[in-house]
Amino acid sequence: LLPGRANAPTTVGQLIDRYLRSLSSRSTRYAERQEYLLRMWVRPVLGEHSLAAWTPSDSEAVLDRARGALAPSTVQNVGSAMRALVTFAFKNRWIPREGDPMWMVRYSPTAEVQGQAVGFVPRSELPTDGDCRRLFDSLDAAGHRQWSLAMNLKHRSGVRWGELIALRPTDLDFD
């Protein structure tokens, strides 16, 4: 801990408590999500751990535990909550910048080989033309003809969603 900081937390658990109290100005949903992630995944591993001794390998231990039970997107949320905790400690000068316990900690999926797309979905798992036709028909049956047309156009043309919703009637020529 940096010198001269009276009442500074001495454990990661105490830091978590202070951080959660500071979220009162945030949305209830955000505060509840942060509380859940920190309570379920960080506190059990680091709660009694000395704040001054918190290292990147300790952070990796938390994320390894989460990787064993959670989807990659939720593991990323755990890492993000830990990063917010560290940023809160930095702003209050309770840990020095050079002692970043999240330094080089990867909490988002990364490619294992050059050129690999993270989150790649094999072609065999994509919806078939028949699946899409059933979706379009169900949109029509539910009274959403415009959405059916938009999704059919997207499916057939390959335009990105932003391009599709930017289209105006004058952009289309059916002749």
Side-chain angles (χ1 to χ4, degrees), residues 36-37 41 63 66 69-80 107:
Y36 161 76
L37 294 169
W41 300 101
L63 293 171
L70 301 172
S73 59
T74 310
V75 173
Q76 186 173 350
N77 288 341
V78 172
S80 179
Y107 47 91

Side-chain angles (χ1 to χ4, degrees), residues 134-145 147-149 151:
R134 286 189 294 282
L135 172 66
F136 307 146
D137 291 344
S138 65
L139 285 168
D140 279 337
H144 300 290
R145 176 86 179 110
W147 283 109
S148 174
L149 178 63
M151 295 307 295

Side-chain angles (χ1 to χ4, degrees), residues 2 10 13 22 28 37 51 62 71 83-84 88 95-97 99 105 132 138 142 154 160 167 170:
L2 296 178
T10 57
S22 77
T28 302
L37 294 169
L51 187 57
V62 172
R83 169 49 67 198
F88 177 72
I95 57 175
R97 291 264 179 201
V105 174
C132 291
S138 65
K154 168 120 180 65
R160 293 183 296 247
L167 283 176
T170 59

Side-chain angles (χ1 to χ4, degrees), residues 9-23:
T10 57
T11 66
V12 176
Q14 291 171 351
L15 175 61
I16 290 170
D17 294 337
R18 298 248 186 118
Y19 171 68
L20 293 174
R21 281 195 302 269
S22 77
L23 297 179

Side-chain angles (χ1 to χ4, degrees), residues 20-89:
L20 293 174
R21 281 195 302 269
S22 77
L23 297 179
S24 62
S25 64
R26 296 292 191 94
S27 74
T28 302
R29 172 78 178 106
Y30 178 80
E32 286 174 350
R33 186 180 71 156
Q34 294 294 84
E35 188 275 331
Y36 161 76
L37 294 169
L38 295 170
R39 176 177 42 87
M40 291 299 294
W41 300 101
V42 180
R43 192 180 294 273
V45 178
L46 297 176
E48 300 302 317
H49 196 74
S50 166
L51 187 57
W54 186 10
T55 65
S57 62
D58 299 321
S59 299
E60 285 287 356
V62 172
L63 293 171
D64 285 343
R65 179 175 171 262
R67 284 183 190 107
L70 301 172
S73 59
T74 310
V75 173
Q76 186 173 350
N77 288 341
V78 172
S80 179
M82 288 174 36
R83 169 49 67 198
L85 190 63
V86 170
T87 300
F88 177 72

